[in-house]
Amino acid sequence: MRAKTAGFTGIIPTREAPWRAMFLRGKRVAQISETGLVWERPLTDIQPLRLPEPYASCTEAALDLHVPYTTTRHVFIAGDRCLDWDWREGQKYEGPVTSLPDFGRHLPADFRSDVDVAMQVAGTPWKTLLIKGERCVIIAWGRGVEYDGPLSDRGEAGWKKLPAHMRGDFDDALMLYAGGNNRTVFIKGDQAMDFHWIDGPTKIGPWAQVLPGLGALPPEYQAPRLPAAGRFGGTANDAGDDERVELRIDLEGDLPVVSGDLFSVSDGAYQNSFVLDGSKLTQPVKWPVTIAGTATFAGDTQYPKVSVVVDKLAPGGTATLTRSTADGQWTRTYDCSYVSRFLRTIDWEVDAVAGTEPAPQYFTGTDPRPPGLAEKLITVQSAYADAGIELRMAGTVNEIAVNNQWVGEEEKKAGTVEANALKWSDAELHAAMVSNFSGHRDTRQWKLWGFNATRHVDGNRGILFDYHDDVQRQGLAVFYDELQADNPSARKTMRTWVHEIAHALNVGHSWEKDADQLGPRQGHGDMSWMNYDWQYWPPGDETGSTPTADRITAYWAAFAYQFTPAELRHLRHGFYNNIVMGGSNWGVGTADRSAPEQFVLPPAGRSGLRLELYGRDTFLHGEPVVTEIKLSLDGSTGQADAFPNLSPRGDNLTILITDPAGVIRPFRPMARACAGPERRVTLDAATPALYDSAYLGYGSGGLTFTQPGTYRLRALYRAPDGSTVTSPERAIEVSSPQSKQDQQAGDLLMGPQQGTLLALLGSDAPQLVQGNAALDQLIATHPDHPLAVYAHMVKGTNAGRHFLTVGKDGIGVRRADTATSIEELGAVVETTLDPGTDTGVDNITLNTTMRRLARAHARAGDLKQADLVLDQLVDTFRDKHVPAPVLATIAEQAETTRTELHDQA
């Protein structure tokens, strides 16, 4: 069932005479007759209804299975599960709705989610009417679908008489029986409709006017459960004004907020957005409500003053928007009609690798919960409904199987392509989205793709992977096997889905916000979907010193399954471009932290750590800029705890880049990856430092080093004690091309597709074909140029691994091209180690490349050559006179790789 707006959660109909119906609200129930309220009491007082949870408090619909002269029997629906309950005998079935005997197998795919109304109608065998939007189906139990189409085209004459505003999108409905004809009362907002299937509507109006018993329900059963808000739409009244507005009116809390997006009527092009904070409203609210003031706009405007008059936030409501110049001389008005109680609506399409399970529903009564949090059923959709966002499932979850005809014996033996062992790269995920997301378009739209995958190559739980082009944030993935391996629970999986969808809406992590939005304890104290349970700092912990297990326990004991006020502000009223999928790139105009105009050194911490950036100081035109990173003891102590992940893609390290014009920007990697609890290591005399490298040439904002000149880099590292360790500033020089060949070679590495390929170390993705062609051209036309080594590295790395694709025949696997991998990676090693040149990759990349080359030789069956490469690796860094602990680490890496290769052989 879709998230309801009414104050009650469901209706239990009866066929007794005189007519009665029971309205559920949590664990309480109110019974009405046609004329008034009969009683209101706890559900537990009704002896035959000793329902198990979550049905006792979370029933969303009830189907009356009429068994004449014998017993009373209902099917209670909660989320995607149901309970067949005989009032005398008890449970007959409990499980997924899709497996309900005689019913589930006939349920059309489009009606497996977001159903508005579910009710039994007269007929033999049992018949169920499901309504979704303006469509409906009638299912005859044990037989199949009798009708599937528009509600207004039903066979009975009355359906053709439905007025336009009462043809669907109902909140609920209850059946009455009169004179042998089906009679139904439909509820939509604060309006109701008494409807005869043969005669048509007989009365439409407020609840009490249509059915006095309905109007006699206690006030809490009538008050909407979702935020006091509404979405309206209209066009400018002046015929010469080519402008349409989508208006959001939000009366939740003491201070009302109005926001809107402006579009061209003629071509639908987006023009501008605005937001206005009103003054405090009187309580209770007196209608009509007027909200006026000077609005903030996303772009320039000649009409900054805004006034909105709204008569009600319900179907049939109207709102008048007036925009005027600062002096009030010129005005523009828009007459707007009510659209929805949801401030935004998103079509959400989900696909899944076969064998994985979709996002679960979670009943808050399963575990201890915060004081004041009611027992309720939470789904991904209900979590967003609570925030005022309608997340509408597009069809049903499409399961994708592995196409075994593409699987070789080598992969079968290694288990690398079995469904439960598939590891996905970001490039593979993006290619899967483009080929499998039916709603995918290179434009701004309220459509989102979610992929329930198996595992990620980096071990992430979830990721916003869509960053390859100028139309981003359309796709995300959640990794089922990773979640199952980490203390699986419905609430953790639920949190991951909600969390990743919020990233697609440009919401950042709790600890990554601007200072004015940062929550308690540097954001780590936020009780939000956007915090990690293991990143949570309980009250009194200002440095993050609480053990991880205790943090996780404290988080779930206090979390009320919600967003923070600042996050809600962005979700409900963020400017269109900054939230709509395909709008601003990740991190641009987001609820995340913004670029600082100047950098202020944070106070010195007591972490005992020192952070340094080092490596080459000069880069050619187009050359990939890589910085090496070192985290070491600062000499104040003999040991210190550290997080080992030094990648900007993780949660610990941020690199600020100051361009030649003096503008400071944080480098934002292309993907927002969300991993599990961060392990810690201890730096001491045996392990005095950690090392990594980061490619900075291309991120979510595109190419980083587009102009020659001096750039300054500075890194910030979040230490385990909560303090920030700051590196000294390091200057690098990006030179101008010194020759025509430099210009041509550099240009072949400067495109966004080439930047993506460098960041991913290669991809087969069809959308990157031009980037791959540029790398091929660089090798073919400038084979001796210093930049050719980077094209070899990308092509060799990509060739040495399999690539997953999703097509009409399922998941296919392009197997590793070992010969190409050996040839290309060998060229990288040879160029870098040539004593006659000063070109090649950095030391950390060289280490990784040589181990990849050894694996490629082993895959080709040449263990002897693999051993020689690993021996050469250790000798190379011994000759470079690296510190003894570093050489020991490299030797250990080489021996570990050697052991793995021999064991596999």
Side-chain angles (χ1 to χ4, degrees):
M1 307 298 292
R2 76 164 167 87
K4 297 295 182 65
T5 63
F8 57 89
T9 55
I11 302 173
I12 302 178
T14 65
R15 297 175 185 245
E16 60 187 13
W19 177 87
R20 298 283 191 272
M22 290 183 284
F23 284 70
L24 302 171
R25 180 180 170 84
K27 289 190 174 182
R28 299 193 67 84
V29 58
Q31 187 182 85
I32 66 168
S33 65
E34 288 202 47
T35 57
L37 177 68
V38 181
W39 46 256
E40 197 275 343
R41 64 183 66 159
L43 185 62
T44 52
D45 287 358
I46 305 175
Q47 293 300 320
L49 280 183
R50 295 291 186 179
L51 301 177
E53 292 291 5
Y55 307 97
S57 53
C58 301
T59 288
E60 298 172 310
L63 306 178
D64 179 7
L65 303 186
H66 186 47
V67 185
Y69 312 113
T70 57
T71 185
T72 301
R73 182 176 169 188
H74 286 83
V75 172
F76 297 94
I77 300 172
D80 58 7
R81 300 183 70 86
C82 66
L83 171 71
D84 186 348
W85 185 265
D86 186 298
W87 287 41
R88 293 180 182 175
E89 301 175 7
Q91 177 177 316
K92 289 185 171 292
Y93 168 83
E94 196 285 327
V97 176
T98 51
S99 298
L100 179 63
D102 294 329
F103 177 82
R105 61 191 174 93
H106 301 301
L107 189 61
D110 288 350
F111 283 82
R112 293 178 185 174
S113 66
D114 301 309
V115 172
D116 301 326
V117 173
M119 62 183 181
Q120 288 300 98
V121 298
T124 302
W126 292 326
K127 295 183 180 181
T128 301
L129 171 65
L130 303 176
I131 301 175
K132 180 177 181 179
E134 296 187 1
R135 289 185 59 223
C136 73
V137 296
I138 289 186
I139 299 174
W141 288 47
R143 293 183 182 176
V145 174
E146 286 191 349
Y147 175 80
D148 184 346
L151 191 65
S152 56
D153 287 351
R154 284 279 305 129
E156 297 85 355
W159 298 105
K160 296 176 175 56
K161 301 177 183 179
L162 286 171
H165 70 290
M166 281 290 183
R167 289 180 182 169
D169 296 319
F170 300 113
D171 288 319
D172 219 320
L174 58 154
M175 287 292 298
L176 299 88
Y177 299 89
N181 294 329
N182 284 333
R183 176 185 169 202
T184 306
V185 173
F186 288 100
I187 299 169
K188 187 173 182 178
D190 62 356
Q191 300 288 293
M193 173 176 66
D194 193 342
F195 174 78
H196 282 265
W197 289 33
I198 304 301
D199 301 330
T202 61
K203 193 179 296 184
I204 299 176
W207 289 12
Q209 292 181 15
V210 171
L211 192 72
L214 194 60
L217 282 168
E220 60 269 24
Y221 287 76
Q222 300 189 47
R225 292 188 296 142
L226 296 182
R231 185 165 89 243
F232 295 75
T235 57
N237 289 342
D238 191 327
D241 291 332
D242 180 35
E243 202 164 64
R244 172 179 67 84
V245 67
E246 185 171 280
L247 188 65
R248 295 175 293 275
I249 302 173
D250 189 354
L251 305 187
E252 185 79 1
D254 294 335
L255 300 178
V257 182
V258 172
S259 63
D261 302 317
L262 300 167
F263 304 88
S264 168
V265 174
S266 57
D267 60 9
Y270 167 68
Q271 295 178 338
N272 210 338
S273 296
F274 66 87
V275 62
L276 169 67
D277 293 292
S279 55
K280 187 171 183 178
L281 291 173
T282 58
Q283 297 296 337
V285 174
K286 296 181 179 179
W287 301 98
V289 168
T290 300
I291 306 165
T294 301
T296 301
F297 281 77
D300 295 334
T301 180
Q302 297 177 330
Y303 299 88
K305 303 193 77 172
V306 168
S307 173
V308 172
V309 180
V310 57
D311 61 356
K312 66 177 179 177
L313 300 176
T318 61
T320 300
L321 166 67
T322 303
R323 297 173 55 210
S324 60
T325 56
D327 59 9
Q329 182 175 0
W330 300 95
T331 62
R332 181 175 291 176
T333 61
Y334 310 74
D335 289 334
C336 303
S337 301
Y338 179 87
V339 175
S340 172
R341 192 177 296 280
F342 296 102
L343 296 176
R344 307 187 196 270
T345 295
I346 301 167
D347 289 328
W348 182 39
E349 185 175 324
V350 180
D351 292 321
V353 175
T356 64
E357 297 179 4
Q361 58 189 38
Y362 174 67
F363 174 57
T364 58
T366 304
D367 302 286
R369 60 189 185 280
L373 179 64
E375 292 185 349
K376 62 179 181 178
L377 196 68
I378 300 178
T379 64
V380 177
Q381 292 98 319
S382 72
Y384 278 93
D386 289 344
I389 308 296
E390 183 180 21
L391 197 62
R392 187 169 56 194
M393 285 288 291
T396 187
V397 175
N398 178 36
E399 286 197 355
I400 306 169
V402 177
N403 183 355
N404 285 317
Q405 66 174 313
W406 298 107
V407 180
E409 290 302 318
E410 179 183 345
E411 288 83 358
K412 286 181 179 178
K413 292 177 182 178
T416 55
V417 291
E418 295 300 325
N420 62 359
L422 293 174
K423 290 189 176 182
W424 296 81
S425 69
D426 299 348
E428 290 166 332
L429 291 168
H430 193 280
M433 178 188 71
V434 172
S435 63
N436 230 48
F437 179 21
S438 64
H440 181 262
R441 302 289 186 276
D442 284 330
T443 187
R444 293 172 291 204
Q445 57 178 354
W446 294 109
K447 295 181 184 295
L448 179 64
W449 188 66
F451 188 40
N452 203 32
T454 44
R455 293 186 183 273
H456 188 259
V457 291
D458 294 331
N460 297 310
R461 293 175 173 180
I463 190 168
L464 173 66
F465 61 80
D466 182 19
Y467 48 73
H468 283 168
D469 44 39
D470 293 331
V471 187
Q472 301 181 7
R473 297 186 289 104
Q474 297 185 82
L476 60 98
V478 170
F479 301 99
Y480 176 78
D481 288 357
E482 296 290 349
L483 288 163
Q484 290 299 107
D486 179 31
N487 298 320
S489 71
R491 63 183 181 181
K492 285 191 175 184
T493 304
M494 177 75 59
R495 192 209 66 85
T496 302
W497 276 102
V498 175
H499 182 101
E500 296 305 328
I501 291 170
H503 280 330
L505 296 171
N506 234 346
V507 182
H509 289 132
S510 295
W511 58 92
E512 294 179 326
K513 294 180 169 57
D514 288 329
D516 61 342
Q517 294 185 351
L518 202 61
R521 301 181 288 288
Q522 303 176 49
H524 293 276
D526 273 356
M527 295 282 48
S528 167
W529 293 105
M530 303 315 296
N531 206 349
Y532 294 163
D533 53 5
W534 59 273
Q535 285 275 29
Y536 176 62
W537 297 357
D541 180 0
E542 299 297 329
T543 63
S545 59
T546 303
T548 299
D550 294 340
R551 295 187 198 182
I552 293 173
T553 299
Y555 173 85
W556 291 109
F559 181 43
Y561 306 92
Q562 61 190 8
F563 292 99
T564 66
E567 291 161 353
L568 288 173
R569 169 80 173 206
H570 174 79
L571 291 170
R572 295 181 189 174
H573 303 291
F575 292 153
Y576 177 77
N577 242 3
N578 296 340
I579 183 171
V580 68
M581 281 64 72
S584 302
N585 289 351
W586 163 251
V588 179
T590 177
D592 196 0
R593 62 178 182 268
S594 58
E597 295 182 1
Q598 60 181 5
F599 177 72
V600 179
L601 281 171
R606 299 179 179 179
S607 65
L609 300 172
R610 176 189 292 119
L611 184 65
E612 301 170 74
L613 300 178
Y614 65 101
R616 291 176 46 196
D617 297 326
T618 303
F619 294 84
L620 302 176
H621 164 67
E623 184 173 9
V625 174
V626 176
T627 186
E628 295 179 78
I629 306 159
K630 178 182 179 181
L631 183 70
S632 60
L633 295 172
D634 66 3
S636 64
T637 180
Q639 65 178 36
D641 286 343
F643 294 129
N645 186 351
L646 301 182
S647 169
R649 288 192 61 182
D651 298 316
N652 306 321
L653 190 88
T654 299
I655 295 179
L656 301 179
I657 302 175
T658 305
D659 66 18
V663 178
I664 304 173
R665 294 185 178 89
F667 174 72
R668 300 187 187 279
M670 295 190 301
R672 165 56 68 197
C674 298
E678 184 77 84
R679 68 184 182 93
R680 301 186 186 194
V681 299
T682 299
L683 298 186
D684 52 23
T687 308
L690 300 172
Y691 300 86
D692 205 342
S693 65
Y695 165 63
L696 305 177
Y698 190 80
S700 66
L703 294 168
T704 307
F705 304 95
T706 56
Q707 301 294 328
T710 301
Y711 293 80
R712 299 191 304 277
L713 312 179
R714 189 190 296 271
L716 286 71
Y717 171 81
R718 180 182 60 85
D721 68 351
S723 64
T724 299
V725 184
T726 306
S727 76
E729 195 171 65
R730 174 173 172 251
I732 63 170
E733 188 75 21
V734 176
S735 62
S736 299
Q738 302 301 304
S739 66
K740 183 178 180 180
Q741 186 185 29
D742 283 351
Q743 180 76 55
Q744 293 174 344
D747 288 349
L748 288 171
L749 287 178
M750 286 290 285
Q753 290 191 18
Q754 295 92 306
T756 300
L757 289 168
L758 284 160
L760 299 175
L761 289 176
S763 170
D764 288 8
Q767 67 272 16
L768 298 175
V769 64
Q770 294 179 358
N772 276 312
L775 298 183
D776 290 336
Q777 185 180 351
L778 174 58
I779 294 173
T781 58
H782 306 284
D784 298 324
H785 194 277
L787 296 186
V789 68
Y790 299 103
H792 287 299
M793 180 182 66
V794 169
K795 292 180 67 62
T797 303
N798 188 55
R801 61 196 181 198
H802 69 252
F803 194 88
L804 304 174
T805 58
V806 178
K808 62 180 181 180
D809 296 324
I811 299 172
V813 183
R814 188 270 291 158
R815 285 180 276 172
D817 181 353
T818 301
T820 298
S821 182
I822 291 173
E823 179 183 356
E824 300 288 355
L825 295 181
V828 175
V829 174
E830 181 180 358
T831 300
T832 304
L833 297 184
D834 185 350
T837 65
D838 188 26
T839 60
V841 298
D842 63 274
N843 283 344
I844 294 175
T845 303
L846 176 62
N847 178 351
T848 305
T849 300
M850 293 183 76
R851 284 184 283 135
R852 287 193 180 113
L853 178 58
R855 290 190 178 94
H857 281 299
R859 192 182 299 112
D862 194 345
L863 277 177
K864 182 178 179 180
Q865 188 61 38
D867 286 337
L868 289 175
V869 172
L870 294 173
D871 291 340
Q872 184 186 27
L873 167 63
V874 178
D875 292 342
T876 295
F877 284 95
R878 181 181 294 113
D879 293 342
K880 288 175 176 284
H881 303 293
V882 298
V886 175
L887 183 60
T889 299
I890 294 172
E892 181 182 359
Q893 291 171 335
E895 287 308 308
T896 299
T897 303
R898 192 191 313 272
T899 301
E900 290 174 353
L901 297 181
H902 281 262
D903 287 347
Q904 290 171 5

